[in-house]
Amino acid sequence: MKIKDIAKIAGVSVATVSRVINNSPKVRPETREKILKIIEEYKYEPDHFAKSLRKRQSNIIGILLLRNSLSTEDSYTNPFLSGALEYLFHHDLKLVLDSCDTRNNLLHYKKLIKSKLVSGFIITDLREDDERIEYLNSINFPYVVIGRNKKNNFIYIDPDNEQGGYLGVEHLVEIGCKKILYISGSKGPVVTEQRLTGVLKAKEKFNVEITIKYGDFSKESGYMIAKKAKLEKYDGIFCASDLMAYGVFNYMKEKNIEKPLIGFDDLPSSKILGITSINQKIFDVGFNAAKMLHKIINKEKVKSMLLPVEISARESTLKFKK
DNA sequence: GCCGTGGTCCCAGACTTTGT
DNA sequence: ACAAAGTCTGGGACCACGGC
């Protein structure tokens, strides 16, 4: 069943059927009703590819995730994708989700652009010198970035990681901590630096002692650092990811150690385990990223967004409050 | 080089409504 | 009744690209 068939049955032109499908006001209500009835009766669905052929855009957006971030473990990805899908669903847009490893990253993007499958990208896992950004800018292809870097020559949406780093330390100070262990993420990703900047600003402001160790955001690295760090030296631990906080949590449980602990990301498990965390509102990040990209594709003006974060204080710190 | 594919978009023109 | 304005509709160009 094609639009032509619907038009023939309804006794109108193809253009009129197209107007009804696209909610154009310039169709008489009787005509509209008649056409809608026929569409319903014959279970007609417009051909998505024919549509994109004429419009020269697919109404499909692409998200490429690094293969190692696609773990089944509780992660950032689920709420982020839920947020994006929520927007896309209500705007008749589709999502292509693909994975790549860092080595052939750019090639993967080029292939998707060349195939005309996607009209725009949400860029994740931003690096400081990101060849994807240079490439997409050079061909003027629509995209929006999750996160920022020093160049910032793009439209981005970003939870305020620096504020998150600051809030974590501030909270530990509030409950009386003076010697804090900060377990940072791996060196390289921009978020690592942003969170650390916030931590150092708070250190300055509250005049507390902060020791910095570098993990890699994973549970295992949190566990290993906790094991090596001699936790008795500290009166509070702040991790740059919830996963690392879970690793520290497990180690402390094994060794019967009790210290205030904060994570970062506020994943659902933190609620269950009672771990205080920095809530980045990841769902909102996904939702707004999709919304911004939609506007960019439609050639509307868009401004970058910095989303405020908040602290979700729970038992892991509150029970130490003096 | 032309044709066919299945949609959308633009424009011209027919039709309808409104005001005098 | 007539003119003007607004509404509705159809025709055809257009999109990329494979097949002939």
Side-chain angles (χ1 to χ4, degrees):
Chain A
M1 185 57 61
K2 294 172 273 186
I3 196 169
K4 218 168 164 180
D5 302 319
I6 300 293
K8 199 172 173 188
I9 295 163
V12 297
S13 76
V14 167
T16 305
V17 180
S18 173
R19 283 186 198 103
V20 171
I21 293 166
N22 294 293
N23 282 323
S24 160
K26 292 189 169 179
V27 180
R28 268 192 310 160
E30 307 91 88
T31 312
R32 176 184 304 280
E33 210 157 299
K34 183 176 163 192
I35 291 169
L36 285 176
K37 220 171 168 183
I38 294 166
I39 287 174
E40 171 74 29
E41 190 182 337
Y42 288 87
K43 306 263 177 273
Y44 166 73
E45 274 295 330
D47 185 313
H48 193 83
F49 287 98
K51 204 168 164 177
S52 35
L53 185 63
R54 178 62 183 97
K55 286 199 141 190
R56 304 191 72 177
Q57 55 170 263
S58 66
N59 273 356
I60 298 174
I61 70 152
I63 302 179
L64 266 72
L65 297 172
L66 290 178
R67 212 172 284 160
N68 62 13
S69 69
L70 284 170
S71 75
T72 50
E73 207 161 355
D74 194 354
S75 74
Y76 186 96
T77 313
N78 282 353
F80 168 70
L81 288 178
S82 301
L85 286 169
E86 177 71 15
Y87 180 85
L88 299 176
F89 176 79
H90 286 108
H91 293 83
D92 199 28
L93 297 163
K94 309 287 174 214
L95 171 70
V96 167
L97 184 60
D98 207 349
S99 70
C100 57
D101 50 45
T102 24
R103 267 180 300 126
N104 58 16
N105 207 339
L106 185 60
L107 194 70
H108 223 86
Y109 280 86
K110 283 182 174 174
K111 275 185 180 173
L112 275 173
I113 292 168
K114 196 148 186 255
S115 72
K116 298 192 172 66
L117 184 61
V118 298
S119 297
F121 284 112
I122 295 179
I123 302 284
T124 59
D125 303 295
L126 179 71
R127 312 288 297 186
E128 197 55 72
D129 262 315
D130 207 307
E131 54 181 358
R132 295 172 296 177
I133 302 301
E134 307 309 324
Y135 177 68
L136 293 171
N137 281 348
S138 74
I139 60 166
N140 206 13
F141 195 81
Y143 70 95
V144 65
V145 177
I146 309 298
R148 293 167 288 164
N149 63 19
K150 278 177 188 151
K151 286 188 184 162
N152 267 350
N153 50 346
F154 45 76
I155 298 290
Y156 65 81
I157 177 163
D158 198 16
D160 196 338
N161 283 291
E162 191 180 313
Q163 186 202 11
Y166 186 93
L167 287 178
V169 174
E170 183 184 56
H171 182 70
L172 286 173
V173 170
E174 272 169 10
I175 61 166
C177 300
K178 290 189 176 70
K179 287 183 179 177
I180 296 167
L181 170 63
Y182 177 63
I183 306 181
S184 167
S186 42
K187 291 179 185 174
V190 182
V191 290
T192 298
E193 204 174 312
Q194 289 166 344
R195 290 175 190 181
L196 186 57
T197 305
V199 166
L200 294 176
K201 274 192 181 165
K203 173 185 191 266
E204 196 93 335
K205 163 96 194 231
F206 301 110
N207 196 25
V208 284
E209 205 176 292
I210 296 182
T211 304
I212 298 157
K213 306 268 183 201
Y214 286 89
D216 63 5
F217 293 110
S218 73
K219 197 169 166 179
E220 293 71 29
S221 74
Y223 183 91
M224 288 312 292
I225 288 168
K227 197 172 171 181
K228 285 186 198 160
K230 297 192 176 106
L231 294 184
E232 62 275 10
K233 288 196 290 187
Y234 307 101
D235 50 17
I237 302 142
F238 180 18
C239 300
S241 77
D242 272 2
L243 292 180
M244 292 197 293
Y246 300 160
V248 175
F249 181 81
N250 285 349
Y251 178 77
M252 291 202 297
K253 217 171 169 188
E254 272 175 36
K255 303 288 171 190
N256 267 327
I257 301 171
E258 289 218 327
K259 299 272 180 190
L261 174 65
I262 304 184
F264 208 118
D265 292 334
D266 205 17
L267 301 177
S269 299
S270 300
K271 218 180 220 173
I272 299 163
L273 296 170
I275 295 177
T276 296
S277 189
I278 306 297
N279 183 347
Q280 304 186 73
K281 299 178 189 154
I282 304 167
F283 181 93
D284 293 353
V285 173
F287 185 91
N288 282 298
K291 187 175 176 181
M292 286 159 80
L293 179 57
H294 190 200
K295 282 188 174 176
I296 293 169
I297 290 169
N298 289 332
K299 312 233 180 297
E300 291 175 43
K301 278 220 161 165
V302 172
K303 274 190 182 165
S304 292
M305 267 175 101
L306 198 57
L307 290 180
V309 300
E310 58 189 36
I311 192 151
S312 302
R314 303 195 178 94
E315 204 195 335
S316 76
T317 53
L318 293 180
K319 70 177 174 189
F320 297 95
K321 204 167 182 179
K322 285 163 192 162

